[in-house]
Amino acid sequence: MKNTVKKITSPLFFYSLVVFFSTFNQHLFANNLDFSSLDQLIKNEIADKHFKGIVLVKQNDKILYSKVTQGPSLVRAENKDEHTPYPIASLTKQMTAVATLRLIERGKLAFTQKLCLFLKECPSSWQDITIKQLLTHSSGIADYTQHKSFNNIKNQDLSQDSMLNIMQSTPLVFVSGKKASYSNSNYYLLGLIIEKAASTSLKKIFTSLFAHAQMSNASLTCSHIPRGHKANNTPLTQSDYVSASVSWAAGGVCASARDLLSWNSSLYNHKLLTKKSMAILTNTEMGFAMGLFIDDINNKTKLIHHSGRIDGFSSELGFIPQQQLSYVVLANVESTSAALIKQHIVGLFETKTTNHHVLTKLTGLFQMERKGINTKITLLNNTLYGQFPGMPPTPLIKDENGFQAKNLPIKIKFENDEYGEVKTIRVNFNGRIIRGKKIAEIPVKIPASVSIEDLNKLIGRYKVNDSFIVEISIKNNALYAQVQGQEGLALEAESRQTFFNAAIDLVVKFESNQKSIIDRLIILQGPIKKVAKKMKVSE
């Protein structure tokens, strides 16, 4: 019996555990959120404010939530779905910002260049305004949508000169570069600069950008879109379209919900901008990022987002980097519904992150009453896992009395000491009570964000020996390790070349040769160390 126990509690080898991961990985990518409250909110908004539109939530490559509500009468679109383009209003600004930075990357523009270089006539008060100040809303130029004539001209097709006359007729609201204030004028003017620098139309620039981002229904020229409506605790009324010549680079793009998910995926996986440019795009030194807002959900989690609102339409687009999560809300009703739905989605993940902090306190290595037998409690994707002797990591499901091991006759209750710290556990195994004392903390690692470009460099087959070959691939935008002939397991990033699976104390490190090419990996698990060399394609 002693020999059996020793085998069970000895360090677990990577290749002896992979058979368990076909079911284990389902939990890594499963949706642990309860969206029933979101369903109810949408029902309420339909009843109260006639909300009509599309809501999508995506994590990595998996759609977690999809809701399409059939809307009021459509003019040219008979059917409305995830591929139906909507006017996205100010979500356009991040696209204008990206187009500007792409030209800066190519040396065709510079942040310090003056606006007046690109205009035929330029007021003296505009002489010192730079491209960077336009991008960060720190130019001081008044918002043309606040001009006294705007409501009279917004549905007209206006020339660029006419739009410039409106902007130049209003004094600066503050000295350029001294502070920041949101202004649509900044991004309209960036559109003019882009056209001059690229020697082509903004429409062509955007068409190329959208193709690069795999946005098949996006365009600066809107067609086949739903009819817009206005409703805020009032009867539903149709809205006239705002002229594309007026919204233009500040808010003239139309795109589908799927297009916007593709945009987020391309943008935050560095397919549109370099990492250096992305860092500049998301810098909030002046209070605004470039075409984006960045807020703290909590101390460790950020939200990168923007809202859009134009006559008859509302939109929300956001990204939570730490969760690799995107959300889209598109509505052909101008009301507060889209913003409320967005807040609710973010709130779900804020609660999840808060719960993460609570669950972290329950993790640890517990020595059971029976000498030599330990129980390990770890945390993965906001789900507790218990590793019992001789068993793979098992999800622990919260119930009113503690936690229940999924598909096992095991219940666990955590017990606090006088200071509120978890120091002991009580395991109920088929009615038999076994107590355990915490003997070690288990650090909870927060996964880092690694681009697809960097992950692709790690793909390949690595050989420890003829019977132990590890294949590294990408699934759901995450690294995946599989021993030949066995099921695989997901790895989370600690850095660009170090990955881990906390449930089994596994660390996989990739190393480069003198030419900075990945040529081997090192497997670490407890005292076990295995080195695998990268195999050639022909092997």
Side-chain angles (χ1 to χ4, degrees), residues 501-513:
N501 188 297
I504 57 171
D505 272 344
L506 176 68
V507 175
V508 179
K509 294 185 176 181
F510 294 84
E511 294 191 344
S512 307
N513 58 23

Side-chain angles (χ1 to χ4, degrees), residues 13-28:
F13 288 91
F14 173 73
Y15 54 86
S16 69
L17 274 180
V18 292
V19 293
F20 296 118
F21 279 88
S22 60
T23 55
F24 181 64
N25 278 329
Q26 293 174 12
H27 300 290
L28 291 179

Side-chain angles (χ1 to χ4, degrees), residues 282-297:
T282 54
N283 184 284
T284 56
E285 179 183 359
M286 291 302 298
F288 293 94
M290 297 179 178
L292 294 163
F293 294 100
I294 301 180
D295 296 323
D296 290 324
I297 296 178

Side-chain angles (χ1 to χ4, degrees), residues 115-116 119 122-129 141 167-168 172:
L115 164 63
C116 289
L119 302 179
C122 196
S124 58
S125 60
W126 287 20
Q127 295 297 320
D128 292 330
I129 294 173
I141 297 175
M167 293 179 225
Q168 293 175 351
L172 293 183

Side-chain angles (χ1 to χ4, degrees), residues 66-190:
S66 175
K67 176 75 72 175
V68 179
T69 66
Q70 292 305 314
S73 59
L74 307 182
V75 177
R76 288 178 293 274
E78 294 181 359
N79 297 309
K80 182 169 56 173
D81 59 25
E82 297 172 359
H83 301 283
T84 302
Y86 284 66
I88 62 171
S90 287
L91 303 188
T92 300
K93 289 182 176 65
Q94 59 194 279
M95 298 160 189
T96 300
V98 168
T100 305
L101 265 66
R102 283 165 67 90
L103 289 171
I104 290 173
E105 287 180 350
R106 296 169 190 168
K108 293 188 175 183
L109 286 175
F111 287 115
T112 55
Q113 281 182 297
K114 300 294 189 349
L115 164 63
C116 289
L117 291 174
F118 303 89
L119 302 179
K120 295 177 185 177
E121 297 181 4
C122 196
S124 58
S125 60
W126 287 20
Q127 295 297 320
D128 292 330
I129 294 173
T130 65
I131 289 176
K132 185 175 181 180
Q133 288 170 350
L134 295 174
L135 285 163
T136 57
H137 292 293
S138 57
S139 70
I141 297 175
D143 188 340
Y144 68 84
T145 66
Q146 302 302 311
H147 194 275
K148 61 184 179 180
S149 66
F150 181 73
N151 285 333
N152 297 324
I153 57 92
K154 64 182 179 180
N155 307 117
Q156 301 175 21
D157 289 331
L158 298 181
S159 67
Q160 292 179 353
D161 286 342
S162 296
M163 290 296 295
L164 274 172
N165 287 336
I166 292 171
M167 293 179 225
Q168 293 175 351
S169 68
T170 306
L172 293 183
V173 294
F174 56 83
V175 177
S176 303
K178 296 300 182 181
K179 61 179 184 177
S181 179
Y182 190 88
S183 173
N184 286 283
S185 300
N186 292 314
Y187 277 76
Y188 187 99
L189 293 167
L190 283 169

